[in-house]
Amino acid sequence: MSNISVIGAGYVGLSTAACFAELGHNITLIEIDPEKLTALKNGLMPISEPGLNEMWQRNKQEDRINVTNNHMDGLLGAEFAFIAVGTPAASNGKPDLKWVRLAAKNIAEAASGPMVIVIKSTVPIGTAEIIDRIVSYNDRNGHSLPVVSNPEFLREGAAIYDFMHPSRVVIGSSSQEAIDVVSKLYKPLDSPIITCDNRTAEMSKYACNAFLATRISFMNEIALLCDEYSVDIVKVAKIMGLDPRFGSGYLNAGLGWGGSCLPKDLKGLIHMAKSRGFPARLLRAVQQINQQQVYIVIRKLHWLLGNLEGKTIGILGLAFKPNSDDVREARSLLIISLLENEGCRIKAYDPDPTAMQNAGKLKIDVTYCANAYEVAKDSDAIVLVTEWEEFKELDMPAMASMMNQPIIVDGRNLYDPDEMIQAGFLYEGIGRCSQRTQETRIGIVQ
Ligand SMILES: NC(=O)c1ccc[n+]([C@@H]2O[C@H](COP(=O)([O-])OP(=O)(O)OC[C@H]3O[C@@H](n4cnc5c(N)ncnc54)[C@H](O)[C@@H]3O)[C@@H](O)[C@H]2O)c1
């Protein structure tokens, strides 16, 4: 079993630490944020992620996990140092590498022997070479510190499952020895291991995220046409998804993509293209379509309610996706800010209490509710933003009867339009043959 240090206790770092501990390794997690560190030291998990807390507590009890904010202590005797720190986008889209650079410097200064540096953070092409230079400059003892690029493909909300059951593991390095030892760590997971150079590994992560974003924006463009031509995008997506050339994932039309990864990684790739003189027309279009999606909700509310000033709008779901507490770049926040500009009163509920706390920290003018029924009570319309399972189970006739006006804009196409109409709602999905289009068509027929 190996001694592994993981730098950064975010979604990726905590999942990596817990899963490698579960595989029997000795883990030291290094985190500099005092709030997160205190929580972890007090046995509390600072994020919600299915299965993470149980796995963490089990391995902590068995003494396979330590937590510290001290890089010297945390890297003492480590054979591997995983970098899992944030790489947020700067205002021009350029990925900000200050945390990665700092982590590399910390590692080089603390190295007490040979160690493999593994970059899990999503970093622009060429970063491994930068890390290599930082490490060579700061390493005073001349240890062997090869750099491996090992991008992470886990999804928030399914991070533990994804880490333990990866569709592939990508390991890129110029050192075959480093590739071999990192491959050994992943061997028990029984998944394909693709080995390559650092740059291929770095690019593969950006290409995957940009492709996922492209699929969703593509479906959202088709959904616009579906609304206009009275076609249901959900049925179209089902037909498309059964084609083995496509596969069924990421074909859901809706409010578009948010979260801490797709928006930032698309911006990063566009920045990389721009810095080499390429216009990245397709990637920009993908981004623009995504930006427009939230305005579709406002337009639909206008069709259904007219002037929105003084109206009470209920928001179901704040997290950027179900089973997560993460509200970074969540669509809910954009919609809330647009509704605020329209002069609406806003009520909101998310099944994850931490997601509500995280939204609360942003000081938006929202009344937080204890459940979905409280949101519905006296609202003029509801917008379903996050497709939590809990929202599928709601008593919809009861919800409709509590509202000022039984209007719902289903931003994730979670519900069956006919069932919602039967429950008493005026229903609008995204690309599901809009109520407005139907009325126009009836008008034309008459
Ligand atoms: N969140 C995801 O679903 C996901 C999936 C795949 C890849 N990634 C990538 O993984 C990286 C991490 O993402 P995340 O969502 O886990 O980030 P995060 O912001 O949730 O966590 C990063 C943590 O690193 C800590 N940190 C920063 N510098 C440090 C240092 N020098 N020493 C110790 N701790 C330090 C921060 O305090 C923070 O707690 C990003 O590059 C991201 O793009 C994220």
Side-chain angles (χ1 to χ4, degrees), residues 312 347 371-380 382 399 401-404:
T312 302
K347 296 163 84 179
N371 54 49
Y373 299 101
E374 212 173 290
V375 171
K377 195 166 179 313
D378 302 328
S379 283
D380 293 295
I382 283 175
M399 291 275 288
S401 69
M402 290 172 178
M403 297 177 68
N404 274 346

Side-chain angles (χ1 to χ4, degrees), residues 218-273:
F218 177 86
M219 293 310 286
N220 280 335
E221 182 128 300
I222 300 292
L224 273 182
L225 293 175
C226 285
D227 254 348
E228 291 304 319
Y229 284 92
S230 287
V231 175
D232 187 347
I233 186 72
V234 172
K235 292 207 175 103
V236 173
K238 189 168 182 193
I239 293 164
M240 290 174 70
L242 288 170
D243 189 323
R245 291 172 299 178
F246 308 155
S248 59
Y250 284 75
L251 291 180
N252 296 335
L255 293 174
W257 32 275
S260 68
C261 289
L262 293 193
K264 124 180 130 54
D265 293 345
L266 204 73
K267 277 184 212 157
L269 199 53
I270 291 171
H271 183 272
M272 280 181 254

